[in-house]
Amino acid sequence: MRRSKLFMPTIKETPADAQIPSHRLMLRAGLVRQTAAGIYSWLPMGYRVLRKIEQIVREEMDSTGAQEILMPTIQPSELWQESGRYDDYGKEMLRVTDRHDRGLLYGPTHEEVVTDIFRNSVKSYRDLPQNLYQIHWKFRDEVRPRFGVMRGREFFMKDNYSFDIDAASARISYNKMFVSYLRTFARMGLTPIPMQADSGAIGGDMSHEFIILADTGESTVYCDSAWLDSDPLSLDIDFDTDLQPIVDRWTKLYAATDDKYDPESCPVNEERLYTGRGIEVGHIFYFGTKYSNAMGATVSNDQGQEVPVEMGSYGIGVSRLVGAIIEASHDDDGIVWPESVAPFQVGLINLRAGDAACNEICEKLYSSLSVANVDTLYDERDERAGVKFAEMDLIGLPWQIAVGPRGVKAGTVEIRRRGGKREEISAEAAFSRLT
Ligand code: ATP
Ligand code: MG
């Protein structure tokens, strides 16, 4: 992409109403714009990142055997009256009435809809287990939408729902999601920490929140420092095997948020205890037959008896992650994107636009990087070098290459990792380093 063609409305001043770094940086770097309180439009740079995150989530879901579906954002109120949540859910639910006076709502979550699909389609234990996911918009009329996309009213979520014949098999489904979440967040350059959680309004008895470490997170985290070196990607996971040992290995390491931490009973000694801050990016629940009982979602088991299906639900805040990753990875100059989610891999800066030799080297690099499928943002504008460098640092691409007249004479270009040292090497060497 050529910078002159890219729609990236950056802002110089720090937006006054943005309280945390990710919100400020997302506005300044032109990733999003607020359309209404807690409701955002995604501009090209932000949307590229959102899609990268979505794709990692999708790949990891697919590798567990879960299948992607797409449910409507608008749901009929009757389904929620059946489950008993219509009155309980309160003001967070946006309720609307259609022209025939029928009650509708904008889905804050999809247990009811998916249970309805299930009860109309699956009758026998032979068709279980099933695990269905979607990556889609939710609406919750939060009392205090804040921190940009981190706590919006409309937000993008991956949610999925598992269906099993009995509690033992439901635990297997739960464990798959547990391990797949560890991998998903680690692929985004994050350190995920699963914490035993209350299952809240959704109800049930097995539940973990996944918190990632970030200095500006909403909650205080106390954990065994072994968490900081635990690398979920080093595990070679086969989702058809028993994952309980892996879940046990992770859950036996101590971790708690401030509301649960008690210095008296904390099993980790002071030197080993890490105290930091964290952001919730995912939440998994096993809630058994809560919805299947209420909504009559039964299947026949191998004895020919009708039993309610055992369910779990699992969420990842895909749009929250864009902010959370920035909270975990930025410096005074701007965003520092992990490679796996960066909007472009390389920022190519022409330091003397108009100079024939500089143009030639840049164009050559730009086209060979494109052919090699390295996403490159080429800043070919007639702007001061300082402006271009500052913008590249702000938008946080993993690599920068700068091409200027002095280097061109010497047969070199400057290459630099975001935040790292400049190095002068030949254009060919720069190309091979990036491919
Ligand atoms: P929170 O405690 O932050 O309100 P929650 O318990 O309501 O979260 P879930 O219903 O489990 O969240 O939703 C799954 C995931 O969706 C959360 O882990 C979070 O990452 C994301 N999420 C929830 N609410 C919002 C929101 N208002 N804006 C953006 N993301 C959200
Ligand atoms: Mg909430």
Side-chain angles (χ1 to χ4, degrees):
M1 183 94 204
R2 286 173 196 272
R3 176 64 186 92
S4 64
K5 304 278 190 304
L6 176 65
F7 182 67
M8 181 170 71
T10 55
I11 323 176
K12 285 213 184 58
E13 319 76 58
T14 299
D17 56 334
Q19 298 162 24
I20 56 168
S22 63
H23 190 192
R24 287 197 284 271
L25 289 168
M26 288 181 75
L27 293 172
R28 282 190 51 211
L31 270 57
V32 291
R33 283 295 180 263
Q34 182 174 302
T35 298
I39 301 179
Y40 287 85
S41 298
W42 293 79
L43 307 188
M45 290 293 271
Y47 192 42
R48 276 175 172 260
V49 176
L50 189 69
R51 275 171 20 215
K52 289 256 169 96
I53 294 173
E54 178 186 355
Q55 187 54 22
I56 291 175
V57 170
R58 176 175 289 120
E59 286 168 13
E60 292 300 322
M61 276 293 120
D62 289 344
S63 75
T64 69
Q67 294 164 66
E68 188 166 9
I69 60 171
L70 187 58
M71 292 181 271
T73 52
I74 301 290
Q75 308 179 11
S77 311
E78 289 92 41
L79 287 179
W80 287 68
Q81 278 145 357
E82 262 191 81
S83 73
R85 283 207 292 183
Y86 189 72
D87 294 323
D88 295 350
Y89 213 91
K91 290 196 164 170
E92 272 196 21
M93 184 192 275
L94 182 68
R95 299 159 206 248
V96 276
T97 308
D98 72 10
R99 61 166 71 193
H100 305 294
D101 265 343
R102 285 194 197 105
L104 298 172
L105 57 99
Y106 194 123
T109 178
H110 279 72
E111 281 82 5
E112 281 78 359
V113 174
V114 81
T115 304
D116 181 51
I117 295 170
F118 183 89
R119 70 179 170 185
N120 293 329
S121 325
V122 181
K123 304 289 175 208
S124 159
Y125 73 96
R126 286 194 195 83
D127 298 322
L128 295 179
Q130 288 293 344
N131 193 330
L132 302 173
Y133 77 96
Q134 66 170 350
I135 306 176
H136 204 200
W137 297 101
K138 299 276 183 271
F139 192 94
R140 295 182 187 173
D141 203 353
E142 302 267 355
V143 206
R144 261 198 334 128
R146 60 185 185 281
F147 307 147
V149 300
M150 298 258 274
R151 186 169 295 285
R153 293 198 294 166
E154 187 183 54
F155 59 98
F156 207 46
M157 194 205 274
K158 184 284 299 174
D159 48 320
N160 63 304
Y161 305 89
S162 62
F163 302 90
D164 283 278
I165 190 66
D166 55 29
S169 145
R171 179 178 278 275
I172 294 173
S173 297
Y174 186 89
N175 287 350
K176 280 189 190 177
M177 293 300 112
F178 185 103
V179 173
S180 120
Y181 273 37
L182 292 175
R183 284 186 49 84
T184 302
F185 299 125
R187 277 186 64 187
M188 298 169 194
L190 301 168
T191 305
I193 303 185
M195 307 230 185
Q196 186 87 46
D198 307 324
S199 18
I202 294 189
D205 55 7
M206 197 163 42
S207 175
H208 286 90
E209 279 174 6
F210 284 72
I211 309 272
I212 57 109
L213 297 177
D215 290 344
T216 45
E218 266 192 293
S219 41
T220 308
V221 173
Y222 300 86
C223 67
D224 191 319
S225 45
W227 277 110
L228 310 187
D229 336 294
S230 61
D231 177 15
L233 296 181
S234 64
L235 302 169
D236 193 0
I237 305 290
D238 175 354
F239 283 100
D240 291 327
T241 58
D242 180 11
L243 300 174
Q244 194 65 50
I246 296 176
V247 172
D248 290 344
R249 200 173 111 196
W250 248 265
T251 48
K252 82 168 193 277
L253 279 182
Y254 178 77
T257 40
D258 39 359
D259 49 326
K260 303 242 169 59
Y261 173 69
D262 171 16
E264 298 293 298
S265 65
C266 175
V268 182
N269 67 29
E270 236 174 274
E271 300 89 79
R272 273 179 70 99
L273 187 70
Y274 170 86
T275 309
R277 302 194 69 82
I279 300 169
E280 181 196 319
V281 289
H283 202 160
I284 61 178
F285 301 91
Y286 162 63
F287 46 74
T289 58
K290 180 176 153 92
Y291 297 95
S292 48
N293 263 331
M295 296 179 66
T298 59
V299 282
S300 59
N301 66 13
D302 59 359
Q303 314 288 307
Q305 296 153 329
E306 285 291 308
V307 293
V309 70
E310 294 275 339
M311 291 175 62
S313 74
Y314 314 88
I316 289 182
V318 176
S319 51
R320 176 179 289 185
L321 272 164
V322 179
I325 292 169
I326 297 175
E327 291 300 331
S329 183
H330 68 273
D331 62 18
D332 290 343
D333 299 321
I335 303 167
V336 183
W337 288 119
E339 271 185 54
S340 59
V341 302
F344 293 94
Q345 294 308 303
V346 179
L348 173 61
I349 302 176
N350 188 340
L351 293 170
R352 183 75 58 81
D355 177 273
C358 289
N359 287 0
E360 194 191 321
I361 304 271
C362 283
E363 290 292 340
K364 241 200 213 144
L365 263 173
Y366 180 53
S367 64
S368 47
L369 286 169
S370 310
V371 170
N373 274 328
V374 179
D375 264 344
T376 304
L377 179 62
Y378 172 27
D379 194 345
E380 61 348 347
R381 296 170 306 167
D382 185 13
E383 273 282 2
R384 281 188 296 117
V387 170
K388 294 186 175 186
F389 279 123
E391 185 182 274
M392 282 298 178
D393 280 349
L394 173 67
I395 66 177
L397 308 184
W399 292 94
Q400 287 175 14
I401 304 180
V403 178
R406 203 168 38 81
V408 166
K409 265 201 202 101
T412 61
V413 300
E414 271 179 23
I415 186 165
R416 178 168 85 106
R417 256 195 158 292
R418 170 68 178 79
K421 281 207 177 60
R422 289 173 210 290
E423 213 185 312
E424 304 208 348
I425 57 178
S426 70
E428 293 72 28
F431 174 78
S432 40
R433 192 167 302 180
L434 298 170
T435 52

